[in-house]
Amino acid sequence: LANLSEYDKISGMRIKLLGSSAGGGFPQWNCSCTNCRSLRKGELVGKPRSQSQVALSSDSKSWILLNASPDLRSQIESNSELQPSTTLEQTRHTPITSVILTNADLDHVLGLLLMRESQPIHVYATKSVRKILIEDNSMFKMLDQKQGQVTWTDLASEKSFEISGLVCTPYSIDAKYPIYVGSERAKELSPTEAVQALVIEDPKTKKRMAYLPGIAALDEDEMRNLNGGQGRTAREMGHIPMSGPKGSIELLSTLGPKLKKVFTHINNTNPVLNENGPEFKRVHDAGLTLGHDGMVFDL
Amino acid sequence: LANLSEYDKISGMRIKLLGSSAGGGFPQWNCSCTNCRSLRKGELVGKPRSQSQVALSSDSKSWILLNASPDLRSQIESNSELQPSTTLEQTRHTPITSVILTNADLDHVLGLLLMRESQPIHVYATKSVRKILIEDNSMFKMLDQKQGQVTWTDLASEKSFEISGLVCTPYSIDAKYPIYVGSERAKELSPTEAVQALVIEDPKTKKRMAYLPGIAALDEDEMRNLNGGQGRTAREMGHIPMSGPKGSIELLSTLGPKLKKVFTHINNTNPVLNENGPEFKRVHDAGLTLGHDGMVFDL
């Protein structure tokens, strides 16, 4: 991890995790599982986590968001790089230039509705995801109150594009739309436009990062038990469980041993959140990193 | 203000301001006005504020929300009364039983989308506000994933109803729907169902509170200047300015001198947020109270 005081020396790509929890955050508003309960009591050896949010920069001045979390307001206030400039004359400003949406999940798109106040913003999404937002949800008209406020650019699988000095390539990884879209509407949408993974390269250094939301979710089948026997398993939630055959630990530890692999979008009931527990140790022993809010990587 | 340690002794109605800022909060994500800038620098004699949110209880066990703010997740985590019980066996629980919506403004309804996770919730709204949410915004289907998850009850102007031991009476106070609804759609909706004020009475004590969102917004026409000459005045934003003839200070100070009058939904650029300034003193001298996050009243 880079030292934040060395910020101005960075010439490559900076990646910052503003949030690292699955939808609902940790603790979750209506949850008193072992994790949430002991975190609220101050007894957990572990960290609270806001909802999954990644920010990227290639120049330390402008930032790209990967998805837009419902916790974006507090995430911006917790990370001064993302706050308005204090040296400019103008009173309205943001260093956030664009948002790339990987799908239409609520915990990935609600933050767009917090980025109003007539601020120009460039949003990259597949045609289908854009349709879900602006045709099926009238609230997104608030992004378009002023001419030139929102600019939409279509994402298409395997079509690379330049963004703020970086090159981004989306890859379709799942044909599943969020539940709220409904099966009838989903039939009108392209199956390759539901969920994208992103590979982002810095052309100056040739360094790359891959962002695989949903696929790399870190969950345990044990969640069903923690959840009073009534919860869904990781696979039922569309996540990959962490442990077991074809779990994400096994999959990731065999993949490119020189790669740095970071888990994010971690469910609040996952025992890995207890940093004194065996599950946390297992992740560490497999050479993987458990993401947390505020974590920074420089490539 | 009641002392929180006397919480269990309260027999009447408890009112808690979980948030006291207008939409966008204070500081606002893209704002570097004098207020936001000096708050971020730690130089303001004043308080940060999350977006307007009121919680009410008549029994210290169950809570009613007046509107549902986009900051609801952090507001719940900052107020332990609103967190799940730690003594019950069940792992999913909330002391929040219901939400009363006064209109369909984004800063009043987005919090509903944070209250998912299959938790049963009772929402009170006018027919028109309900239509805007569930017919025009497919995302609100997430509140209805499980049978019996969401219960909608219609609000109608001047029709009193019982809720958690209290009696609530809505009054239509404005015919204006949010901009995102659009003028065509607004024509299909009832003009008396756009914005409600609420009067809530505790039948045991006969004590009452009135909640007038929008009407009692505290803004200055000076905001236009603070905002680089480009902003809208309070009246242009549909708010009442604080100062001047027919401003909210004049209106409220002549109204029922025995009433306690509290400003909430305060705009981030309002100079009253500087507690060392003349505007703050003027509110105080007029016998009015400037609401802040965490403020509690017992009636």
Side-chain angles (χ1 to χ4, degrees), chain A residues 23-34 37 40-41 49-51 70-71 73-74 76-77 82-94 96 104 106-107 109-110 113-119 121 132-133 135-142 145 179-182 226-228 267-269, chain B residues 23-34 37 40-41 49-51 70-71 73-74 76-77 82-94 96 104 106-107 109-110 113-119 121 132-133 135-142 145 179-182 226-228 267-269:
Chain A
F26 178 52
Q28 181 180 298
W29 76 288
N30 67 338
C31 190
S32 61
C33 71
T34 311
R37 197 182 284 221
R40 288 198 183 101
K41 283 186 184 166
R49 281 168 163 84
S50 62
Q51 292 168 90
D71 291 323
R73 190 178 105 73
S74 59
I76 289 172
E77 293 313 321
L82 297 168
Q83 295 167 11
S85 166
T86 53
T87 55
L88 294 173
E89 285 286 318
Q90 70 210 78
T91 49
R92 296 298 167 96
H93 172 261
T94 177
I96 301 168
L106 285 190
D107 59 332
V109 303
L110 280 183
L113 294 177
L114 310 178
M115 303 174 77
R116 298 176 283 130
E117 319 295 346
S118 306
Q119 187 66 44
I121 192 79
I132 292 167
L133 302 188
E135 294 179 8
D136 303 352
N137 289 278
S138 66
M139 289 176 180
F140 284 83
K141 288 187 188 141
M142 289 308 289
Q145 287 311 301
I179 295 171
Y180 74 80
V181 171
L226 280 174
N227 200 6
N267 195 286
N268 64 298
T269 58
Chain B
F26 177 52
Q28 181 179 299
W29 77 287
N30 66 338
C31 189
S32 62
C33 71
T34 311
R37 197 181 286 219
R40 288 197 183 100
K41 282 186 185 165
R49 282 169 163 82
S50 62
Q51 291 168 90
D71 292 323
R73 191 178 104 73
S74 59
I76 289 172
E77 294 312 322
L82 297 169
Q83 294 167 12
S85 166
T86 54
T87 55
L88 293 174
E89 285 287 318
Q90 70 211 78
T91 49
R92 297 297 168 97
H93 171 259
T94 177
I96 301 168
L106 285 191
D107 60 333
V109 304
L110 279 184
L113 294 176
L114 310 178
M115 303 174 76
R116 297 176 283 129
E117 320 294 347
S118 307
Q119 187 67 45
I121 192 79
I132 293 167
L133 303 187
E135 293 179 10
D136 302 352
N137 289 278
S138 65
M139 291 177 177
F140 283 84
K141 287 186 190 143
M142 288 309 288
Q145 287 310 301
I179 296 170
Y180 73 81
V181 172
L226 281 172
N227 200 6
N267 195 287
N268 64 300
T269 58

Side-chain angles (χ1 to χ4, degrees), chain B residues 1-296:
Chain B
L1 293 186
N3 188 316
L4 273 172
S5 64
E6 295 178 15
Y7 185 64
D8 291 334
K9 299 178 199 162
I10 302 303
S11 59
M13 172 162 45
R14 168 156 288 189
I15 301 156
K16 191 160 189 186
L17 292 191
L18 309 185
S20 53
S21 170
F26 177 52
Q28 181 179 299
W29 77 287
N30 66 338
C31 189
S32 62
C33 71
T34 311
N35 280 344
C36 287
R37 197 181 286 219
S38 56
L39 181 68
R40 288 197 183 100
K41 282 186 185 165
E43 292 170 2
L44 185 76
V45 181
K47 299 172 182 67
R49 282 169 163 82
S50 62
Q51 291 168 90
S52 184
Q53 179 66 57
V54 176
L56 275 184
S57 182
S58 67
D59 64 1
S60 85
K61 283 179 199 136
S62 67
W63 289 82
I64 304 163
L65 300 183
L66 306 188
N67 294 318
S69 118
D71 292 323
L72 195 55
R73 191 178 104 73
S74 59
Q75 289 165 338
I76 289 172
E77 294 312 322
S78 303
N79 292 279
S80 59
E81 311 93 301
L82 297 169
Q83 294 167 12
S85 166
T86 54
T87 55
L88 293 174
E89 285 287 318
Q90 70 211 78
T91 49
R92 297 297 168 97
H93 171 259
T94 177
I96 301 168
T97 54
S98 49
V99 181
I100 308 177
L101 301 179
T102 61
N103 61 10
D105 281 1
L106 285 191
D107 60 333
H108 286 165
V109 304
L110 279 184
L112 281 182
L113 294 176
L114 310 178
M115 303 174 76
R116 297 176 283 129
E117 320 294 347
S118 307
Q119 187 67 45
I121 192 79
H122 195 145
V123 185
Y124 296 77
T126 63
K127 272 198 187 76
S128 297
V129 166
R130 173 166 51 84
K131 280 182 177 181
I132 293 167
L133 303 187
I134 65 178
E135 293 179 10
D136 302 352
N137 289 278
S138 65
M139 291 177 177
F140 283 84
K141 287 186 190 143
M142 288 309 288
L143 294 179
D144 209 11
Q145 287 310 301
K146 218 173 69 174
Q147 210 185 0
Q149 185 183 343
V150 67
T151 305
W152 291 92
T153 294
D154 290 345
L155 289 188
S157 186
E158 302 187 40
K159 293 272 164 59
S160 301
F161 61 97
E162 190 274 334
I163 179 169
S164 302
L166 301 170
V167 177
C168 177
T169 312
Y171 293 91
S172 174
I173 54 171
D174 198 343
K176 203 179 160 199
Y177 283 96
I179 296 170
Y180 73 81
V181 172
S183 53
E184 287 308 305
R185 176 59 159 153
K187 281 178 202 158
E188 302 166 10
L189 304 169
S190 163
T192 63
E193 294 184 346
V195 188
Q196 309 298 309
L198 304 173
V199 174
I200 299 175
E201 180 174 299
D202 184 336
K204 297 188 298 290
T205 61
K206 304 289 179 200
K207 296 278 179 76
R208 288 191 292 181
M209 70 91 81
Y211 179 56
L212 298 97
I215 263 202
L218 180 66
D219 297 284
E220 290 271 77
D221 281 329
E222 293 94 295
M223 277 173 32
R224 186 195 281 273
N225 297 325
L226 281 172
N227 200 6
Q230 292 164 354
R232 296 177 296 166
T233 64
R235 290 194 199 279
E236 282 167 350
M237 292 196 295
H239 298 172
I240 291 179
M242 182 177 76
S243 56
K246 302 211 177 164
S248 49
I249 290 185
E250 181 180 299
L251 287 171
L252 287 174
S253 57
T254 57
L255 180 78
K258 284 190 183 168
L259 295 178
K260 182 172 181 78
K261 289 154 255 176
V262 183
F263 284 108
T264 183
H265 201 272
I266 304 157
N267 195 287
N268 64 300
T269 58
N270 195 310
V272 80
L273 292 170
N274 176 356
E275 297 177 13
N276 267 354
E279 294 83 359
F280 182 84
K281 186 171 181 306
R282 212 186 316 157
V283 167
H284 184 264
D285 291 350
L288 308 172
T289 301
L290 194 70
H292 61 74
D293 291 16
M295 196 176 253
V296 177

Side-chain angles (χ1 to χ4, degrees), chain A residues 215-228:
Chain A
I215 263 202
L218 179 65
D219 295 284
E220 290 271 78
D221 282 327
E222 294 93 295
M223 275 173 36
R224 185 195 279 275
N225 296 327
L226 280 174
N227 200 6

